[in-house]
Amino acid sequence: MIRFLAIVVVLVVLGVGTYAYLNRTDSSDGTAPVMAGAPVSADVVARGEYLTKAADCTACHTVPGSNEPFAGGVVFKLPFGTIYSSNITADDATGIGSWSDDDFVRAVREGVRKDGQHLYPAFPYTSYTQLSRSDVLAIKAYLFSLPKIAQADRPNDLSFPYSQRWLMGFWNAAFFKSQRFAPDPAQSAQWNSGKYLAIALGHCGECHTPRNAGFGLEHSNALAGEELQGWRAYNITSDKQHGIGAWSDDDIASYLHTGHADGRGSAAGPMAEVVENSLRFLDDADTKALVAYLRAVPAREGSMPITIDASAAPAMASNAAAPGNGEAGSTGQHLFEGACASCHQWDGKGRQTPYASLLGSRGVNDVHGANVTQIILHGEDLRAQGPNIFMPGFGKTYSDTEVAALANYVIGHFGGKQGDVTPYEVGRLRKGM
């Protein structure tokens, strides 16, 4: 009995020690590469505004159309429940007005609130951990310069055991490492700035990197593409067939600044929000740095590869006004004729704007059709550099069966592939899953 108890005590001590070791905190301030849009000589609030935009804080903490910046309440539907973002204005009662510098830095870089409770990794502290203390405090200075908004946080709706915040300590032990950004001396200053923008501030990996069964990032497959909240975040590695390796520097820069690259496609859904709230504000030099880094990301095919056919036979056999003679009059074709052809045209080149062009886009070449289905259901409202781009949604007009038929027709006609969108999948996406 004594031997058994001794073994138990040893195991407990080892377990506690391992837990503490894996949850150790990097206490260093950290340094950040030089960014053209946020020089260290700039006013701290001005620096903070630029960094806040680069970090895309608006997308998660501001409900679109609410006119209440950073008051929280944005909905995140996950497989295990719903999370609502928090109020990060300087309101003392409902926001973070009473937080000290250390409180704010700990929350951003370690995922721990002022009250000691763990944050969920829907907040990307797993990426922000690499930020320098100076940059984090500049963001705080900017947020505290804005009007205070009194709006209580909405309680999360998570199933058990995910509703237990204390369990995040074990998740962190398995999937999170507290660490500051470490520049690579073998790379150029531009590359290091681009990596800081992509991996730390812009947290691109949070959407574009596949996740494992525990919802942790698969760093060995970084930026190879993932699906979150029903939207496909595409492969942005240097893979020439499945990623952006075949894109020119101008293609990538145009997509980041305007949400569109000719012959490559247009941003929609969460990516359109990133362009609208964040990427379009980057200084040109910082955009070039981001492009330089993405160019060097190791090529990876990813688990859901998409092969692009920019000259799909059905579209090539069509003209702007009419489909090819060999096409049968399917339900999807009739729906496209009634709702889509006037803007996108049968040859997929778009009429009013290049943003309406469909040829070469990954959306119409993805046989699973997640993004095509989402856009048909919910439409698009892209606000980037240049005129606003609007497309109405048809979710209230068409049934799940009709949306599936239309999505599969678009994939077949403009991507040259057999789509596999089902009414069940449309229903799932319609509910925001």
Side-chain angles (χ1 to χ4, degrees), residues 184-208:
D184 186 344
Q187 299 288 348
S188 68
Q190 183 186 54
W191 183 93
N192 277 294
S193 293
K195 183 177 182 180
Y196 187 78
L197 276 165
I199 302 303
L201 264 177
H203 57 280
C204 304
E206 300 290 339
C207 290
H208 290 275

Side-chain angles (χ1 to χ4, degrees), residues 247-260:
W247 293 34
S248 69
D249 288 358
D250 287 344
D251 287 339
I252 302 173
S254 176
Y255 194 89
L256 296 175
H257 263 220
T258 72
H260 174 78

